[in-house]
Amino acid sequence: MWLGIWLAVAGLVLGVLLGLNIPLVLPQVYAKYLSVAALAALDSVFGGIRAAMEDQFDNTVFISGFFSNALLAAGLAFIGERLGIDLYLAAVVAFGVRLFQNLAIIRRHLFKKLK
């Protein structure tokens, strides 16, 4: 388990360093899509960490949830843009709530292990 955690941390650090050093400018039109995609990814990651702490992690569920969350969120943003309403906000609220719930459960698991 520790090897996986170290690999994830190393990948995160490498990704942040690459992201900060590669000059990439995206048009503002994609801001809604990127914000929803980032929230969907974070939701899946925190859900995976929570499942691993509860010994219920399944790689198939994690990967399928990652892509289905991202596709659903992007679809909501696209349909909302076509209809002229900010439908992506529904995905932002839903993923935000789930993120904080998963983070609270992860925090409780960590506190139980420290006692």
Side-chain angles (χ1 to χ4, degrees):
M1 179 174 156
W2 288 107
L3 177 64
I5 292 173
W6 284 112
L7 287 174
V9 169
L12 179 65
V13 169
L14 182 65
V16 168
L17 289 175
L18 283 173
L20 291 175
N21 290 317
I22 295 176
L24 179 65
V25 178
L26 296 172
Q28 192 171 357
V29 176
Y30 299 135
K32 291 179 186 178
Y33 299 108
L34 289 175
S35 64
V36 170
L39 282 174
L42 283 173
D43 175 54
S44 295
V45 168
F46 280 113
I49 292 170
R50 173 187 172 188
M53 291 181 119
E54 294 173 348
D55 293 327
Q56 296 178 350
F57 182 78
D58 184 8
N59 201 29
T60 306
V61 172
F62 174 74
I63 292 173
S64 65
F66 184 86
F67 288 112
S68 64
N69 283 347
L71 288 174
L72 177 65
L76 282 173
F78 179 76
I79 291 170
E81 188 175 314
R82 293 292 175 205
L83 293 174
I85 56 175
D86 290 333
L87 197 55
Y88 78 98
L89 290 175
V92 169
V93 170
F95 287 133
V97 168
R98 287 175 41 148
L99 271 170
F100 285 110
Q101 285 176 344
N102 283 334
L103 189 60
I105 292 170
I106 290 168
R107 188 182 68 242
R108 286 187 198 110
H109 279 294
L110 290 174
F111 286 151
K112 282 183 185 178
K113 286 185 179 183
L114 292 176
K115 285 185 178 183

